[in-house]
Amino acid sequence: MTVKAFAVSDVGRRRETNEDSFLLDQGQGLFAVADGMGGHAAGEVASRLAIDTLKEALQRDTPARSLGTTDDAGNWLRDAVVEANRRIWDSIRVHEERRGMGTTVVVLLRAGDDAVIGHVGDSRIYLLRGGTLHRMTSDHSWVNEQVKLGLLSDDEAQRHPMRNIVTRALGSRPDVVVDLVTAGVVPGDVFVLCSDGLNTMLTDDEIREILASHRADPEAASTALVQAANQRGGEDNVTVVVIGF
Ligand code: CA
């Protein structure tokens, strides 16, 4: 199965800096988006630390990983995210001005005909298979907890004033729990990794329509998604990685 991927990261229409970071390594099959938070440019530092840690882990461990199974890939991914959390946590202890910084992260690692997905926070991974869009991650956010309890609808959550409250992030504790899931991949699948600047501006239906109309062209799809988020207001940084199998 060949892979074609493209990424777009944009500051949006309201913010002055872009605190999102991403990783696209088509050769190794590793893709990630991190959405940083915290004042005085610290959010940018946190999301970069997360992405840099993943890159370094990949360079260090590639030979061992390529021999592994899907379980090995999952363990590798979890260890890399835990290491990223530790580096951000340590950095806050050394640099007083970084106190309160943190970042989300979503990661997709290809392991043969499987995709291993890991996430912390409210960035998302979607899968378009056939005509259906699936959410592959479940936001670690206050509003999503209310949705799961049946106290808010999806629509209400999207507009809720507390929609930005993240309940799990890298950098807020010395250790972190990484949610992991493995999905079999079939030709024609399109995965999207995104920061919440995409899914707070667009509904899942709108995301599905844009993806479906550019399904063989990750560059056109990612560009169109970011344009649509900006046309809707662009209230946040928006980062999209589109991977076509
Ligand atoms: Ca954001």
Side-chain angles (χ1 to χ4, degrees):
M1 236 183 307
T2 57
V3 187
K4 231 164 79 177
F6 200 83
V8 178
S9 187
D10 192 86
V11 68
R13 294 269 167 89
R14 300 281 177 86
R15 304 282 172 95
E16 287 181 356
T17 55
N18 188 351
E19 298 189 322
D20 291 353
S21 300
F22 70 88
L23 166 62
L24 190 163
D25 189 326
Q26 209 164 293
Q28 302 291 341
L30 184 68
F31 310 89
V33 168
D35 177 351
M37 57 205 90
H40 304 292
E44 200 178 324
V45 172
S47 69
R48 275 218 194 113
L49 270 173
I51 295 298
D52 287 348
T53 306
L54 289 171
K55 278 185 195 164
E56 285 165 28
L58 190 67
Q59 281 165 2
R60 186 184 63 214
D61 303 331
T62 297
R65 192 175 63 76
S66 62
L67 298 172
T69 63
T70 303
D71 280 351
D72 293 334
N75 289 333
W76 179 88
L77 198 159
R78 179 192 287 113
D79 289 349
V81 174
V82 165
E83 188 182 335
N85 178 69
R86 171 59 68 173
R87 277 182 61 183
I88 295 164
W89 176 257
D90 287 348
S91 159
I92 293 167
R93 285 152 53 101
V94 176
H95 303 275
E96 177 70 18
E97 73 281 5
R98 292 181 181 172
R99 187 190 293 239
M101 81 172 178
T103 185
T104 72
V105 71
V106 281
V107 193
L108 187 151
L109 173 63
R110 187 183 177 190
D113 289 339
D114 290 317
V116 180
I117 284 167
H119 92 285
V120 175
D122 67 350
S123 298
R124 288 184 180 173
I125 298 185
Y126 290 99
L127 163 64
L128 180 72
R129 175 172 292 172
T132 308
L133 190 73
H134 305 270
R135 271 190 213 170
M136 305 301 288
T137 52
S138 177
D139 299 351
H140 301 135
S141 65
W142 183 86
V143 286
N144 193 37
E145 285 179 2
Q146 309 309 303
V147 170
K148 285 191 200 165
L149 291 168
L151 299 173
L152 285 179
S153 72
D154 234 18
D155 280 357
E156 288 167 337
Q158 198 182 19
R159 294 189 302 268
H160 200 279
M162 284 166 75
R163 65 180 179 268
N164 289 329
I165 295 177
V166 173
T167 50
R168 208 189 294 177
L170 302 189
S172 50
R173 300 165 66 89
D175 213 341
V176 70
V177 176
V178 185
D179 285 2
L180 280 181
V181 49
T182 299
V185 178
V186 298
D189 278 354
V190 181
F191 286 90
V192 180
L193 286 64
C194 67
S195 60
D196 69 337
L198 183 76
N199 56 268
T200 51
M201 295 290 104
L202 303 177
T203 65
D204 283 13
D205 252 0
E206 290 168 327
I207 293 171
R208 181 186 54 74
E209 271 177 37
I210 293 168
L211 275 180
S213 57
H214 301 285
R215 77 177 308 144
D217 190 344
E219 179 172 356
S222 47
T223 305
L225 285 169
V226 170
Q227 269 173 2
N230 279 333
Q231 275 162 10
R232 192 57 62 76
E235 285 174 18
D236 197 359
N237 307 145
V238 53
T239 300
V240 171
V241 180
V242 177
I243 310 154
F245 286 89

